[in-house]
Every structure is written in structure tokens, then in C-alpha cells.
Amino acid sequence: MKTVALRFAENFAPEGGTIAAHQQVINELGLVWYGKLGNPVSKTIAREILDSDNPRILLIHSGGQERYWAHVDAIQRDMPKLTEVPFYYRNMADKFKCWFRVRKFTKADKSVMSDCIVISSGKRLTDASRHSMSPYFIVNYIEER
């Protein structure tokens, strides 16, 4: 399965953290938009993710051990309604160039990064992420070992 692995940090997140803030909006509305800074993912990659049997992106906590699957049903470049974005980054929403509509988060298996192959290098995500400052990677996730 081709998808995107995105790093996230807690620099601007409220006390409970990024995932908890997004989950709170899901609990209220049934969805939340997760923003990606920098260049948007290509329309081709977005379509491949959305056309998969289980559309999701991988969120990797920078400097931490947490990994989450964000189950998505839309990817867009236009800013969503601010009421569907966590409160803590509404005032900087215009800086996000790509938005993922998330319906739920699930904790990823501890081996998830070694089960992802970075398409551009052919390396496992475990190795590639250690030696790169890239905020995201396009990966193939190998679901069965």
C-alpha cells in the first residue's frame, strides 16, 4: 500500500498533545482536518492513497516513539472550515498547504517503520528517517511480513 509518512512535533500543541487535540474534534464532529506544512503531496499520491482499500497516512512523532495511523477519506489543498481544525492551529491554518480529513486515529504497530519502504531510496523508513530531515516520506507499507 502506498501512503505518506509525516513527522509531527508537539511544539505548538496543547498540553494533551497533537493527536489528543485532533481526537477531540473527531469526538465532537466525527472528523478533523490534519494540516501539513510545506509542499502539498502530489495529486497522484493523494489519489493513490484515497483509492486504496484502507486509506490512511502514517504520523511519526519526532523525537518520540509514538506512531499513529490517521484514517483519511479526503485530501485537499484548500483550507477547510476552521471549525473542523483543532483550535490551537486555527490562527496559522493558512500556512498549511495540504489537508487530510481524518475520521479516526489508531496506534500503529511498533514495527511499522521497518515495514515501510521509502519509494525514492528503497530504504526502510527506520533508516531513512534517521538520516534525513525530510518532514515526510512517500512509502510502500508492507502489511504482511
Side-chain angles (χ1 to χ4, degrees):
M1 169 188 97
K2 189 180 281 187
T3 193
V4 175
L6 297 173
R7 294 184 205 256
F8 74 93
E10 303 292 2
N11 301 5
F12 304 106
E15 188 175 321
T18 299
I19 301 300
H22 283 74
Q23 185 62 53
Q24 182 178 359
V25 178
I26 291 174
N27 294 347
E28 293 168 10
L29 303 176
L31 63 91
V32 68
W33 288 92
Y34 185 92
K36 179 196 169 304
L37 292 166
N39 293 331
V41 299
S42 74
K43 291 178 181 180
T44 301
I45 295 299
R47 179 61 28 222
E48 287 184 42
I49 292 168
L50 294 173
D51 286 346
S52 71
D53 290 338
N54 185 10
R56 57 193 170 160
I57 60 172
L58 182 63
L59 302 177
I60 304 165
H61 184 267
S62 290
Q65 296 300 311
E66 298 87 25
R67 313 290 185 244
Y68 297 92
W69 287 112
H71 299 264
V72 300
D73 65 358
I75 302 171
Q76 67 185 41
R77 295 175 180 205
D78 297 329
M79 190 180 341
K81 290 190 244 175
L82 289 180
T83 56
E84 297 175 350
V85 173
F87 183 82
Y88 77 97
Y89 65 58
R90 289 179 187 171
N91 65 341
M92 60 182 175
D94 60 331
K95 295 186 182 347
F96 294 93
K97 303 300 180 203
C98 189
W99 294 91
F100 301 87
R101 187 168 62 197
V102 180
R103 295 296 180 155
K104 74 176 180 176
F105 292 100
T106 55
K107 274 208 160 209
D109 190 90
K110 290 182 186 211
S111 68
V112 71
M113 292 198 36
S114 40
D115 294 338
C116 291
I117 305 298
V118 178
I119 291 174
S120 63
S121 68
K123 294 182 178 180
R124 295 201 179 273
L125 183 56
T126 310
D127 298 326
S129 68
R130 277 191 212 129
H131 304 292
S132 172
M133 295 301 294
S134 178
Y136 79 100
F137 302 89
I138 307 218
V139 299
N140 272 323
Y141 173 59
I142 306 160
E143 297 193 54
E144 295 180 17
R145 289 182 165 230

